[in-house]
Amino acid sequence: MKTSPWIWAGLVLGLALVAVVGAQAQGETPTDDEVNAIAKKLYCPVCPNTPLDVCETKACQDWRAQIRDQLAAGWTEPQILQYFVTQYGERVLAEPQRRGFTSLVWVLPLMAAAGGFAAVVAVIRRWKAAPRPPPASAEADAPAIAPDVLARIEGELEKMA
């Protein structure tokens, strides 16, 4: 069976095209924005509470270079983050994972806010529902004076006048 030279030429051209496209896809270097999008989700291993994307230590530069290499190799963001968690522990994450004991970090502030709101509502209702004493009259406030004492006071007042 004889094959046409055009078939061979098409096959060689197709393979060359696939090789060139594959080499270009592997050779693409991720941008700084792509690297920093992942780096800001990690903390510096040296500086306390400093995001990886803004820290200028040698360790952070190495980590960003490693993220760039992993992105170029086709790793996804969750894979990269999981790699760093596996290597260094969850302390490298800027935002703790929402599972297990660390879920309390997300739930407790909401519970505290709800409890505070409920307390404020309860206090306001209690203030509104509290019985108010009737206004007191001047006569009701005056203490009762025995008639003999009252007669003596009036007698003293008459002597003074």
Side-chain angles (χ1 to χ4, degrees), residues 12-31:
V12 169
L13 184 61
L15 288 173
L17 182 63
V18 168
V20 168
V21 169
Q24 283 181 346
Q26 283 183 338
E28 288 183 20
T29 304
T31 65

Side-chain angles (χ1 to χ4, degrees), residues 134-142:
S137 65
E139 292 178 13
D141 287 341

Side-chain angles (χ1 to χ4, degrees), residues 147-160:
D148 60 331
V149 174
L150 187 59
R152 199 169 39 163
I153 291 174
E154 286 177 359
E156 291 291 326
L157 287 174
E158 285 175 7
K159 287 181 192 177
M160 292 171 79

Side-chain angles (χ1 to χ4, degrees), residues 101-139:
F101 184 72
T102 57
S103 62
L104 289 177
V105 172
W106 302 101
V107 174
L108 284 179
L110 296 175
M111 290 174 57
F117 180 74
V120 168
V121 168
V123 167
I124 290 173
R125 283 187 180 166
R126 218 176 294 141
W127 284 346
K128 286 184 176 181
R132 295 184 181 155
S137 65
E139 292 178 13

